[in-house]
């Protein structure tokens, strides 16, 4: 493609999106540029603090558990308090808890604060995704989610390299740096990102009493098709997680070093940064059902091919296969979640969806460790192929009658307009006790 063609493609990729989206995108990029804890927690605990690998694993599990819990709480907060307040609370809580974690020395204190960091850092995800769905028209959502995912990986790639140098100087500097970058995100959201929560549904009268047609958490859990998508998301993310828990163990068993693993897994980040935008241009107007089926098969059999790897080059080749699946799956699946979510319940729906990834992050290490120890790595990769096939079949069954989102004229049907909280006289006064409890629940990407 010529230089002019590349410029045209780039312009078409980024044009037409609301200004508010780009401020939100910038806050995501800044947030991932400051990532440190998730990347270097294990090395910090074992090398700097001298704790055992088992203790480091326990802390990582508590960090993940915090993310599981906050996914639901943050989803509720996103719908009740609003997208912007939830993001601000989550980011401020993350900044404080990360800074505190850097100065903790007692093992119980480290574990407890790591749990809080997991809660806080994960709580902004439902709000960010719900806000993007609010402000971006349906026809552009896959493109917007893809650009956001690209920012996450670009920021994470840069921060991982920078954090390695920072860790050689001072781990504490890494914690403080992440806290400061998260504060910058909070400032960006506070100054530049307006609230986008749609207006509440019309008030109905039931037996002479006023009642709202409100989407509750139980509504989400009773939504059979959506919960099926959440279950399939769990299966797919369980596969992707093996790139960070099963793959290094398998490569070590083959006599390869940690630097060999770093070389192989770096292919993942490089390909996402290089291909996410052009691949999105190719898939953004294609049938999401086919894309999810194909990406599930690519993920499963991409990891399945790892059973035949024995050198760094072959491992890197398998990473190429499942990375392509990741590039296609991430924005498509997020767009599907929005398509299945009512506007007033987007926070709760996104929270339950986010939880599927958090639970997978907890289950994947247990799964890989058990299978490798008892049966060998080849069985793990075979299981990934089976899981990918099951997920592909599940998407086909669930979405056979799913209507296309972009029907003629749909983009001209406005969603309920966002209005300030004080302009809703029908909205109940917040319960102070519930607000305190919600704040406790609040808060990477890939």
């Amino acid at each position: 493609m010529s230089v002019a063609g590349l410029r045209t493609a780039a312009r078409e990729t980024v044009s037409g999106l609301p200004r508010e989206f780009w401020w939100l995108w910038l806050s995501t990029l800044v947030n991932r540029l400051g990532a440190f804890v998730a990347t270097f927690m294990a090395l910090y605990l074992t090398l700097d603090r001298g704790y055992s690998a088992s203790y480091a694993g326990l802390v990582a599990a508590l960090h993940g558990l915090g993310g599981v819990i906050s996914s639901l709480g943050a989803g509720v907060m996103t719908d009740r308090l609003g997208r912007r307040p939830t993001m601000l609370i989550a980011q401020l809580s993350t900044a404080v808890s990360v800074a505190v974690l850097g100065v903790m020395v007692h093992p119980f204190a480290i574990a407890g604060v790591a749990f809080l960091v997991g809660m806080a850092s994960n709580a902004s995800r439902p709000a960010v995704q719900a806000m993007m769905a609010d402000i971006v028209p349906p026809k552009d959502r896959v493109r917007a989610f893809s650009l956001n995912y690209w920012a996450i990986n670009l920021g994470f790639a840069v921060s991982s390299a920078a954090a390695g140098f920072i860790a050689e100087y001072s781990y504490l500097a890494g914690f403080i740096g992440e806290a400061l970058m998260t504060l910058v995100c909070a400032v960006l959201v506070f100054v530049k990102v307006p609230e986008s929560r749609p207006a509440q549904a019309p008030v109905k009268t039931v037996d002479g009493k006023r009642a709202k047609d409100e989407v509750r958490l139980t509504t989400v859990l009773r939504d059979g098709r959506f919960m099926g998508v959440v279950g399939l998301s769990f299966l797919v993310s369980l596969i992707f997680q093996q790139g960070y828990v099963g793959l290094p163990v398998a490569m070590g068993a083959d006599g390869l070093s940690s630097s060999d693993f770093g070389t192989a897994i770096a292919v993942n980040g490089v390909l996402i940064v290089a291909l996410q935008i052009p691949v999105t241009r190719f898939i953004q107007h294609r049938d999401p059902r086919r894309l999810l089926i194909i990406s599930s098969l690519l993920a499963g059999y991409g990891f399945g091919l790892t059973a035949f790897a024995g050198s760094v080059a072959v491992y890197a080749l398998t990473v190429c296969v499942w990375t392509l699946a990741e590039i296609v799956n991430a924005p498509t699946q997020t767009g599907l979640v929005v398509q299945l979510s009512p506007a007033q319940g987007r926070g709760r729906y996104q929270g339950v969806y986010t939880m599927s990834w958090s639970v997978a992050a907890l289950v994947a290490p247990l799964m890989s460790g058990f299978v490798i120890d008892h049966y060998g790595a080849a069985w793990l990769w075979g299981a990934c192929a089976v899981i990918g096939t099951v997920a592909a079949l599940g998407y086909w069954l669930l979405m056979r009658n799913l209507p296309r989102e972009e029907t003629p004229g749909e983009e001209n049907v406005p969603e309920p307009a966002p209005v300030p909280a004080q302009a809703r006289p029908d909205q109940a006064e917040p319960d102070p006790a519930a607000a305190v409890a919600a704040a406790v629940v609040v808060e990477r990407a890939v």
Side-chain angles (χ1 to χ4, degrees):
M1 182 181 292
S2 64
V3 174
L6 289 173
R7 289 177 179 174
T8 301
R11 184 168 56 252
E12 291 176 354
T13 299
V14 301
S15 64
L17 294 172
R19 181 179 59 181
E20 294 83 0
F21 165 80
W22 289 111
W23 286 115
L24 200 59
W25 180 90
L26 181 60
S27 72
T28 297
L29 178 62
V30 172
N31 186 32
R32 299 318 300 167
L33 285 171
F36 181 86
V37 173
T39 307
F40 284 92
M41 175 64 78
L43 291 176
Y44 166 70
L45 293 175
T46 55
L47 298 182
D48 191 67
R49 292 295 185 183
Y51 292 115
S52 66
S54 298
Y55 174 76
L58 173 63
V59 172
L62 288 172
H63 183 275
L65 180 61
V68 172
I69 295 174
S70 71
S71 297
L72 297 178
V76 174
M77 289 181 64
T78 297
D79 287 335
R80 288 190 174 181
L81 299 182
R83 284 70 159 129
R84 187 168 176 261
T86 300
M87 282 189 282
L88 288 172
I89 294 173
Q91 290 164 352
L92 292 174
S93 301
T94 301
V96 172
S97 58
V98 166
V100 171
L101 180 61
V103 298
M104 292 292 101
V105 293
H106 193 280
F108 287 111
I110 291 175
V113 177
F115 173 75
L116 295 178
V117 171
M119 291 181 65
S121 61
N122 199 62
S124 62
R125 294 180 183 178
V128 170
Q129 293 172 342
M131 180 173 279
M132 286 189 180
D134 294 338
I135 63 180
V136 177
K139 63 185 179 64
D140 294 325
R141 281 177 185 157
V142 169
R143 179 160 58 105
F145 287 129
S146 180
L147 286 167
N148 189 64
Y149 190 68
W150 183 78
I152 290 172
N153 284 278
L154 176 62
F156 188 76
V158 174
S159 69
S160 296
F165 292 104
I166 294 173
E168 291 183 1
Y169 168 72
S170 169
Y171 280 96
L172 178 59
F175 286 101
I176 300 301
E178 177 167 347
L180 291 175
M181 294 293 275
T182 307
L183 282 177
V184 171
C185 290
V187 171
L188 278 174
V189 170
F190 181 77
V191 174
K192 293 294 185 178
V193 180
E195 178 56 57
S196 67
R197 180 176 55 158
Q200 296 290 335
V203 177
K204 295 182 178 181
T205 301
V206 180
D207 296 331
K209 297 181 180 180
R210 289 158 60 90
K212 289 181 182 177
D213 187 12
E214 183 183 3
V215 177
R216 301 182 180 275
L217 191 57
T218 53
T219 308
V220 184
L221 299 178
R222 289 198 301 264
D223 189 334
R225 188 194 294 270
F226 176 78
M227 292 307 297
V229 170
V230 170
L232 295 173
S233 169
F234 166 76
L235 293 180
V236 173
S237 59
L238 193 63
I239 298 173
F240 287 134
Q241 288 290 331
Q242 298 307 324
Y244 305 95
V245 293
L247 185 60
V249 175
M251 292 183 69
D254 282 344
L256 300 174
S257 67
S258 57
S259 61
D260 292 328
F261 167 70
T263 300
I265 201 63
V267 174
N268 174 258
V270 170
L271 285 180
I272 289 176
V273 172
L275 298 181
Q276 184 72 62
I277 292 178
V279 169
T280 299
R281 282 176 50 80
F282 177 75
I283 69 172
Q284 62 179 333
H285 298 304
R286 299 182 184 273
D287 188 350
R289 294 164 288 194
R290 293 183 180 179
L291 294 175
L292 289 171
I293 291 170
I294 292 172
S295 63
S296 298
L297 293 174
L298 278 176
Y301 288 93
F303 276 98
L305 289 173
T306 311
F308 305 100
S311 65
V312 178
V314 180
Y315 275 112
L317 183 61
T318 65
V319 171
C320 291
V321 177
W322 58 261
T323 296
L324 182 58
E326 186 178 358
I327 291 172
V328 173
N329 179 272
T332 306
Q333 187 155 251
T334 306
L336 174 64
V337 171
V338 174
Q339 184 178 349
L340 296 176
S341 308
Q344 284 80 11
R346 280 180 181 149
R348 290 173 172 85
Y349 274 76
Q350 290 288 350
V352 173
Y353 166 66
T354 301
M355 186 183 66
S356 68
W357 286 83
S358 300
V359 173
L362 279 177
V363 174
L366 302 176
M367 169 185 166
S368 61
F370 177 82
V371 174
I372 291 176
D373 286 343
H374 290 80
Y375 304 102
W379 281 90
L380 175 64
W381 309 130
C384 287
V386 172
I387 294 172
T389 304
V390 171
L393 179 61
Y395 280 120
W396 178 75
L397 291 173
L398 272 178
M399 297 189 293
R400 284 179 298 173
N401 300 318
L402 181 69
R404 292 182 181 274
E405 183 178 24
E406 294 180 31
T407 55
E410 180 187 17
E411 60 271 18
N412 298 321
V413 180
E415 293 180 347
V419 299
Q422 61 267 27
R424 303 187 190 102
D426 62 303
Q427 186 173 11
E429 290 293 323
D431 181 359
V436 173
V440 174
V441 173
V442 181
E443 154 175 349
R444 258 182 139 272
V446 130

